[in-house]
Amino acid sequence: MSQLTIKGGRRLEGEAGIQGAKNSVLPILAATLLTAEQVELRGCPRLRDVDASIRILEGLGCTARWEGENTLEVDTRSPGGCAVSEALMREMRSSAIFLGAILARCGQAELSYPGGCELGPRPIDLHLSGLRDLGAEIDDAGGVLHCKASHLRGREIVLGFPSVGATENLMLAACGADGVTTILGAAREPEIADLQNFLNACGARVSGAGTSAVSIEGGRPLHGCTYTIMPDRIAAATYLCAAASAGGDIFLRRAREEHLSTVTAALREAGCTIRSDAAGVSCACRERLKAVRPVRTAPYPGFPTDAQAILMAALLRCRGAAVFEENMFASRYRHVDELVRMGADIRVSGRAAVVSGVERLHGAPVRCTDLRGGAALCVAALAAEGETEISQTAHICRGYEDIARDLRALGADAAWAES
């Protein structure tokens, strides 16, 4: 397996493009099942999770092929099955999003419970209860979901928590339901709006994405389209935090500050200069960072849990102490022990973590514990003295097309090596 080697102590200078959003392309790939035609997805990132989604589509009888570097053509005209293997379901958490699309297309589905990063319990009960509200019959005995939906009917569904996955799953299923479905308490993330825009480009009538009430007019035949995936806001946050950690002046093409304003607000408070326009976002950091006010993760538009570890890594050498409160996942501090190996001073108590800034970090052999924890190790390594060897990088490749390439474009000394 490849490991990532980063030599720290170099200020970042340069620019890089931001890949298509991982958390947007995965539900859109599931949504292609609703079209029964060919779809061309531009700006599609080449990620392990995208590869897993392609294998799910192929297992269902669809075809997908790459055209050029980041254009994926998907043909869903002749699906030949309605089951997803346990091996594919275990590869990523987002595999659950195929349930709503398969039900809408085939009227039945068989899946096991999904896998992904080990961040603590992430039940899909909201997905299942919402699908039952639409008329699906679901038997989840033995860890396998046996689902039937001979006739889905639109209705009002209230989510007790703004779950991104449940919102997306219900949007997909509702496209195949008769009548209008209204999802109240819906997640508001930008990726929800991107899914809405894709569905509408295929002929659906979906409105309200970005608010807590999403409306879907079901029963409309959908067609293929050409669609460009939105830029990845967490990848952009990662590289902004990289510049904050190492110091320097960078520009990120295609990044949209309106999608990550809580992250840029924290970086500005820490002492960075952030500027943005239609072309992208720049970040300049010339002095040691200052501690920021407590960072509390929350559903969008709150501070994203996916950026918690990344910002923490940027603040390891801050003046003062920074407090983090993780409110989304029970096991999202698994990266802390690896950062401590690099000289960080972090104390964890329940949902809270206190980062006391240190003068220096040093390179060390560390391992990725999860996707964003792995990105945090990269951010910390850029500010460390000496060389950091990061292993178990398969986690990173689930969400970053080529993090070493992008860091080199920004002036870092980063390279892949076979371990």
Side-chain angles (χ1 to χ4, degrees):
M1 182 179 292
S2 295
Q3 71 177 19
L4 182 57
T5 300
I6 296 177
K7 296 179 181 178
R10 297 177 57 164
R11 292 176 64 82
L12 301 188
E13 302 284 344
E15 65 176 67
I18 295 300
Q19 67 187 45
K22 165 189 176 287
N23 292 333
S24 184
V25 71
L26 300 182
I28 286 176
L29 282 170
T32 62
L33 285 168
L34 303 175
T35 66
E37 290 187 8
Q38 184 168 294
V39 169
E40 181 179 275
L41 299 179
R42 296 180 178 176
C44 184
R46 289 180 176 252
L47 308 172
R48 284 192 62 189
D49 278 8
V50 170
D51 290 338
S53 294
I54 290 172
R55 290 196 297 276
I56 289 175
L57 288 169
E58 290 173 340
L60 295 170
C62 308
T63 62
R65 65 174 184 172
W66 291 99
E67 290 289 334
E69 186 64 28
N70 291 107
T71 297
L72 183 66
E73 292 185 354
V74 182
D75 191 332
T76 61
R77 282 176 287 191
S78 304
C82 59
V84 180
S85 71
E86 180 181 6
L88 288 174
M89 289 296 295
R90 286 186 176 276
E91 282 196 35
M92 62 173 185
R93 176 67 182 176
S94 297
S95 56
I97 201 64
F98 279 87
L99 179 54
I102 296 173
L103 276 176
R105 177 71 182 272
C106 305
Q108 59 182 329
E110 183 177 306
L111 303 83
S112 64
Y113 278 86
C117 290
E118 297 177 6
L119 303 176
R122 293 187 285 175
I124 60 170
D125 56 314
L126 290 177
H127 302 233
L128 303 184
S129 63
L131 292 171
R132 287 187 174 110
D133 286 342
L134 291 176
E137 299 176 8
I138 303 175
D139 179 359
D140 57 356
V144 177
L145 301 171
H146 300 278
C147 312
K148 292 183 179 180
S150 57
H151 194 169
L152 295 173
R153 292 182 176 84
R155 58 164 295 174
E156 182 178 289
I157 299 173
V158 180
L159 295 180
F161 178 84
S163 163
V164 174
T167 300
E168 292 168 339
N169 234 336
L170 295 175
M171 288 171 66
L172 298 183
C175 285
D178 290 336
V180 175
T181 298
T182 302
I183 306 170
L184 301 179
R188 300 165 58 188
E189 275 73 2
E191 293 82 6
I192 303 290
D194 209 32
L195 177 59
Q196 170 183 281
N197 293 340
F198 170 77
L199 291 171
N200 288 343
C202 294
R205 287 185 180 175
V206 185
S207 60
T211 75
S212 59
V214 178
S215 179
I216 307 98
E217 183 180 323
R220 297 174 59 85
L222 302 189
H223 53 73
C225 72
T226 297
Y227 190 79
T228 301
I229 306 297
M230 64 173 275
D232 194 308
R233 61 192 174 103
I234 305 302
T238 301
Y239 300 136
L240 292 175
C241 286
S245 179
D249 193 342
I250 67 167
F251 178 72
L252 304 178
R253 299 187 304 275
R254 294 188 70 226
R256 300 180 188 173
E257 188 181 4
E258 65 268 26
H259 291 167
L260 58 149
S261 58
T262 53
V263 178
T264 55
L267 291 175
R268 285 191 176 96
E269 185 180 348
C272 299
T273 300
I274 309 285
R275 295 187 175 88
S276 64
D277 56 27
V281 180
S282 66
C283 176
C285 184
R286 297 178 176 83
E287 298 180 356
R288 184 177 172 186
L289 300 182
K290 301 173 290 187
V292 299
R293 286 170 289 184
V295 176
R296 298 179 174 90
T297 64
Y300 192 87
F303 192 92
T305 182
D306 279 354
Q308 173 257 108
I310 299 162
L311 179 63
M312 179 185 290
L315 294 173
L316 295 179
R317 296 177 58 251
C318 71
R319 290 188 174 91
V323 177
F324 289 80
E325 183 180 306
E326 175 55 55
N327 297 307
M328 303 298 290
F329 294 116
S331 301
R332 198 123 210 194
Y333 289 136
R334 299 175 67 228
H335 58 282
V336 165
D337 288 345
E338 302 303 305
L339 294 176
V340 169
R341 289 171 62 89
M342 301 174 69
D345 183 350
I346 308 172
R347 305 296 173 87
V348 175
S349 177
R351 293 186 174 274
V354 180
V355 178
S356 298
V358 296
E359 288 288 336
R360 294 180 178 84
L361 298 172
H362 53 79
V366 293
R367 63 180 182 87
C368 298
T369 57
D370 58 81
L371 167 55
R372 305 307 175 184
L377 297 180
C378 297
V379 170
L382 294 168
E385 298 175 356
E387 184 174 279
T388 298
E389 294 180 349
I390 305 171
S391 61
Q392 298 186 22
T393 56
H395 289 295
I396 295 177
C397 296
R398 286 186 49 237
Y400 296 86
E401 195 170 60
D402 189 340
I403 199 168
R405 175 201 66 195
D406 293 342
L407 290 175
R408 285 196 303 271
L410 298 174
D413 187 339
W416 296 104
E418 291 299 322
S419 56

